[in-house]
Amino acid sequence: MELVKLTETIVKELVTDSDSITVKEFPSEEENTITIQVMVPVDQMGRVIGKEGKLAKALRTIVQASSYINDNKRVNINIDSY
C-alpha cells in the first residue's frame, strides 16, 4: 500500500470530519527519505496527536514499518493544523 494512502486512511479514521484532512508527499533532500505532510483542522488536532503524542507516534511507527517492508526508506510525518 502506498505510504500516503496508508497515512490518509489512518488519519481519516481518527477524526470526526474526514473530508477536512489533507495528506501530501513532498520531495526530500535525502534520496532515501520520504516526507509526508498531514494538515488537520485545529479542533481535530488532539484526535490525531493523542495524549502525550501517543497516536502520532503510533501512526509514524505503522507507516515506517510499511516503508521498511516495501521500499526501505525513512519516513518523516509532519502533522500541522490550519
Side-chain angles (χ1 to χ4, degrees):
M1 179 180 259
E2 185 182 325
L3 297 177
V4 174
K5 183 72 173 163
L6 175 63
T7 304
E8 183 176 16
T9 302
I10 294 170
V11 172
K12 283 188 174 186
E13 291 298 319
L14 295 173
V15 298
T16 56
D17 183 17
S18 62
D19 295 331
S20 63
I21 305 302
T22 305
V23 180
K24 294 182 182 178
E25 181 178 345
F26 287 95
S28 179
E29 296 170 1
E30 300 174 28
E31 92 177 34
N32 17 329
T33 302
I34 298 169
T35 302
I36 298 174
Q37 180 75 33
V38 179
M39 295 298 292
V40 181
V42 175
D43 61 331
Q44 299 291 309
M45 197 67 164
R47 293 177 172 271
V48 177
I49 301 294
K51 286 190 177 186
E52 299 177 8
K54 289 181 181 179
L55 289 177
K57 185 176 180 181
L59 172 67
R60 289 181 175 110
T61 301
I62 292 168
V63 175
Q64 186 66 58
S66 177
S67 175
Y68 282 150
I69 290 170
N70 298 318
D71 302 330
N72 201 20
K73 293 187 177 186
R74 180 155 165 51
V75 178
N76 292 327
I77 298 179
N78 299 325
I79 302 170
D80 289 324
S81 62
Y82 62 89

